[in-house]
Amino acid sequence: MKNVIITVTDREQSFSYDVEFPPDIRGDRLTAFMFEALHELDPSVEYDGRSCGLYLQRAKHFVNSHQTFAEAGGRNGDIVLAVDMGLGGAGW
């Protein structure tokens, strides 16, 4: 698979964006990439590498920072939640 396209949203589904990226990107880089893109679209979304994460809804777990998206079980078409884990796992 060359690239994957996923939908990134928050728990309240107040936003929903399709994002394309290579499946071999590591979780820490992917998380930073996602939150930087979300911040561009919505300046209220802040990125803190220590407390932000990406949750794979279908697989029911977070993307580990040392795994690639594919190794984490991510697939083309997945829905991924952008989560601020510093707020007790609450999404934006």
Side-chain angles (χ1 to χ4, degrees):
M1 158 172 39
K2 197 172 214 176
N3 281 331
V4 294
I5 298 174
I6 62 169
T7 300
V8 181
T9 188
D10 63 345
R11 290 187 195 278
E12 291 78 31
Q13 297 182 347
S14 60
F15 62 81
S16 180
Y17 303 109
D18 290 341
V19 181
E20 182 176 358
F21 59 91
D24 60 350
I25 188 171
R26 281 184 20 162
D28 55 349
R29 292 186 60 220
L30 178 60
T31 301
F33 169 75
M34 291 293 178
F35 279 89
E36 287 170 13
L38 292 173
H39 181 75
E40 295 268 331
L41 296 165
D42 180 355
S44 71
V45 175
E46 295 294 329
Y47 174 66
D48 176 356
R50 295 178 308 256
S51 67
C52 294
L54 299 175
Y55 184 77
L56 295 169
Q57 263 192 314
R58 178 191 45 77
K60 295 184 169 67
H61 63 83
F62 284 90
V63 176
N64 183 299
S65 64
H66 301 292
Q67 293 177 306
T68 66
F69 182 75
E71 289 170 343
R75 297 182 191 159
N76 196 35
D78 271 349
I79 296 174
V80 177
L81 296 180
V83 178
D84 182 350
M85 298 180 295
L87 297 174
W92 277 273

